[in-house]
Amino acid sequence: MSSFHEQQRTYFDCGLTLSYDARMAVLHQFDQVLRFYEDRIVAALYQDFQKSEFESFTTEFALLYEEIHRAKKNLKKWMRPKRVRTNWINWPASSAVLREPLGVNLIIGAWNYPVLLLLQPAVSALAAGNTAVLKPSENAPAVADVLEQMINTNFDPGHLVVVQGDAKATGELLSLKWDHIFYTGSTQVGKIVYQAAAKHLTPVTLELGGKSPAIISQSANLALTAKRLIWGKFLNAGQTCVAPDYVLVHQSVREAFLQACTLELKRNNYAHGERHYCQIINERHFDRLMGLIDSEKIFFGGVHDRSQRFIGPTIMVDVTLDDAVMKEEIFGPILPVMTYDKIDDAVALIKKLEKPLAAYVFSDNKKEYQKVLSQLSFGGGAVNDVVMHLSNPYLPFGGVGHSGIGAYHGAHGMDCFSHKKSILYKKNWFEAPLKYPPLGKKKLQWIKRIMK
Ligand code: NAD
């Protein structure tokens, strides 16, 4: 394990990743290799948790191809020094910000989108001129095997390599001195990563989770709200970091909203064994999720089958903050619904919990949704939609506080894996005498007059 780390250090120090040509070449290679392995990865996603070809392409590959395409298209522009203004104290001079790669990176992925969450940051790392060791999640083992084969047979391990391992092995990787650690996963493990990084003062990007709320106001278009919300909640069987975790609906439209959700769920027909509805990743998570369901509060669903790791879409009502389902991030196909009377009450309730990765507000009332946006702190989100904000590469994607540190996607990914180096280019044809001895009163008066 540490041999890859040393190999990458040498590779990086030799400057092999720096040039535009080297970066373009590795991105092009990445694109080709991914296309070649696409079918095998889709099969592995099905093997790990019966993820359908449709969901695999739309939620993993489409975003990844887009990221590679965007990086290749913009690389020249992103690498260019960014000229900035120079203040008059430094005259005569010019100034620019240079982006330098951080160096040798450790990228740790999560199981829920095991391809995208490992490879999307890798694309940004390579575009920014870095090397990277990729650690896939052991909870999606078939995907991890194919990714290991795909990367390790097609790239120089000094540049890009996959290293597999469980929590213990990840701990060993974390003990090494990296230039940057990019971690996606739970907040609990995020703290372990942060502590390990602190030992070497290594910068981190932590892409964590949390309980992302969806507020449904009385002004919302309920049919469309239900359509978008149900799609985003039950995508990947609810195992999505930015899925709406729970709903706060205005009490006056509670019944109509629940009816609209029921219609939408029946229309979607997420029946047992339906090929477009994936499994819960493992028995541990199945049991954890079943423990969150209070059967007396089920409004819709509750159907389950442990042998198939299947939990059908489930809506719970009359939920309070004291229910088990509100005590942790659900990360599965259970949607608790609570009501509110005034928008301030909804905001106050959300504020009792940690800052979420996402928040959503369905409302046609601008004043109302602006109030929510200005009063709540969260990673990112949408007005009248869910999840889709992460598919817009112009928006930085990341959390705040308990939901994470840092952001990526598109140019923000390039930023995430670069250091912005500030340079002042001083001219030699003039030097103001003001700062040099003799430092008399007159000089100070001059300086005071100028600076005030
Ligand atoms: P996971 O179990 O796959 O763990 C993630 C990674 O952490 C794995 O590579 C694993 O090997 C490593 N790991 C686990 N325990 C460790 C330990 N003790 N020490 C060191 N490394 C360890 O995934 P998970 O944590 O169950 O992921 C689910 C969480 O991730 C949810 O909270 C979800 O919201 C969050 N998530 C966030 C994003 C995002 O982009 N912000 C995306 C997906 C998931």
Side-chain angles (χ1 to χ4, degrees):
M1 236 172 235
S2 60
S3 68
F4 290 128
H5 178 263
E6 281 157 29
Q7 233 174 315
Q8 293 215 342
R9 175 71 58 210
T10 308
Y11 194 95
F12 182 76
D13 287 346
C14 288
L16 295 170
T17 61
L18 297 181
S19 71
Y20 171 80
D21 286 347
R23 299 186 199 196
M24 274 305 268
V26 75
L27 288 172
H28 182 69
Q29 168 86 340
F30 200 97
D31 190 33
Q32 297 296 305
V33 166
L34 188 65
R35 285 173 202 279
F36 188 72
Y37 272 81
E38 187 182 311
D39 289 348
R40 269 179 267 183
I41 298 173
V42 168
L45 283 161
Y46 192 78
Q47 192 181 329
D48 278 333
F49 57 132
Q50 289 189 5
K51 188 158 170 159
S52 73
E53 188 184 349
F54 189 91
E55 273 202 7
S56 292
F57 188 80
T58 52
T59 66
E60 309 248 21
F61 288 96
L63 296 171
L64 204 44
Y65 286 132
E66 153 90 18
E67 188 79 23
I68 300 167
H69 170 72
R70 187 163 297 280
K72 285 166 73 178
K73 193 170 144 210
N74 293 294
L75 191 60
K76 214 162 234 164
K77 188 172 88 189
W78 290 348
M79 286 178 69
R80 227 174 268 148
K82 190 174 181 299
R83 287 207 164 274
V84 295
R85 291 172 63 167
T86 304
N87 59 351
W88 67 265
I89 291 174
N90 286 300
W91 184 85
S94 63
S95 303
V97 179
L98 315 184
R99 283 164 197 262
E100 66 176 21
L102 292 174
V104 180
N105 291 262
L106 173 63
I107 300 178
I108 304 174
W111 55 264
N112 60 326
Y113 292 92
V115 186
L116 184 72
L117 297 176
L118 191 74
L119 299 188
Q120 190 170 11
V123 171
S124 300
L126 296 173
N130 296 271
T131 69
V133 170
L134 311 181
K135 215 299 284 174
S137 172
E138 66 277 24
N139 289 320
V143 171
D145 283 346
V146 182
L147 293 183
E148 181 179 20
Q149 199 194 1
M150 175 179 104
I151 300 291
N152 295 5
T153 54
N154 287 287
F155 294 88
D156 187 322
H159 200 173
L160 188 68
V161 73
V162 166
V163 175
Q164 290 206 53
D166 56 10
K168 187 167 172 280
T170 313
E172 284 167 28
L173 280 172
L174 286 170
S175 69
L176 302 171
K177 188 176 188 305
W178 303 91
D179 294 319
H180 177 219
I181 300 174
F182 187 106
Y183 169 80
T184 303
S186 66
T187 300
Q188 199 188 348
V189 176
K191 289 178 186 171
I192 296 173
V193 172
Y194 207 5
Q195 276 175 350
K199 289 203 178 107
H200 302 291
L201 275 185
T202 298
V204 293
T205 304
L206 301 177
E207 295 285 337
L208 312 176
K211 287 186 86 61
S212 302
I215 297 175
I216 321 284
S217 104
Q218 64 268 50
S219 68
N221 173 336
L222 292 181
L224 197 53
T225 296
K227 194 181 191 70
R228 292 174 179 166
L229 184 99
I230 293 297
W231 171 81
K233 175 68 190 185
F234 298 108
L235 181 75
N236 216 36
Q239 302 165 115
T240 302
C241 55
V242 285
D245 186 275
Y246 63 99
V247 160
L248 280 162
V249 59
H250 191 268
Q251 58 176 2
S252 67
V253 291
R254 176 188 183 269
E255 301 314 316
F257 166 70
L258 287 171
Q259 286 318 316
C261 287
T262 307
L263 269 179
E264 198 51 35
L265 282 165
K266 287 189 173 153
R267 200 182 65 75
N268 284 347
N269 186 25
Y270 297 96
H272 189 167
E274 167 67 35
R275 269 186 59 91
H276 291 293
Y277 186 71
C278 71
Q279 291 177 309
I280 303 304
I281 190 71
N282 53 34
E283 275 88 10
R284 181 170 63 82
H285 277 287
F286 179 93
D287 295 339
R288 178 185 66 79
L289 287 165
M290 289 309 297
L292 300 183
I293 300 176
D294 177 344
S295 55
E296 300 207 334
K297 295 191 173 182
I298 293 176
F299 169 81
F300 182 97
V303 183
H304 59 275
D305 178 350
R306 194 173 191 273
S307 69
Q308 294 296 315
R309 303 198 317 266
F310 171 86
I311 301 177
T314 299
I315 296 181
M316 286 170 61
V317 289
D318 302 328
V319 172
T320 71
L321 288 185
D322 294 329
D323 284 294
V325 78
M326 289 304 294
K327 298 273 189 221
E328 62 182 75
E329 179 183 357
I330 299 169
F331 218 54
I334 307 165
L335 183 66
V337 175
M338 296 185 279
T339 57
Y340 71 89
D341 189 16
K342 297 197 183 77
I343 195 73
D344 289 330
D345 301 339
V347 169
L349 184 142
I350 295 165
K351 277 188 167 174
K352 284 186 186 163
L353 308 174
E354 296 289 359
K355 292 177 182 180
L357 181 60
Y360 307 108
V361 50
F362 287 85
S363 167
D364 270 348
N365 179 337
K366 194 171 175 189
K367 258 192 178 160
E368 189 176 53
Y369 66 69
Q370 278 185 336
K371 184 173 202 172
V372 173
L373 297 184
S374 66
Q375 293 193 358
L376 280 184
S377 178
F378 53 95
V383 173
N384 293 321
D385 207 350
V386 295
V387 178
M388 292 306 291
H389 62 293
L390 79 71
S391 68
N392 180 355
Y394 298 102
L395 289 172
F397 179 72
V400 57
H402 256 238
S403 52
I405 297 172
Y408 69 129
H409 288 190
H412 309 287
M414 180 81 177
D415 280 344
C416 175
F417 286 91
S418 304
H419 164 63
K420 288 182 181 163
K421 194 155 66 182
S422 303
I423 303 295
L424 181 78
Y425 296 93
K426 191 79 181 201
K427 305 285 183 235
N428 284 339
W429 50 264
F430 175 75
E431 182 64 359
L434 278 179
K435 68 185 180 203
Y436 299 107
L439 303 174
K441 256 196 166 163
K442 227 177 184 165
K443 268 191 184 170
L444 186 60
Q445 274 170 359
W446 261 105
I447 291 172
K448 281 186 173 174
R449 194 178 302 163
I450 295 165
M451 296 308 284
K452 282 179 179 172

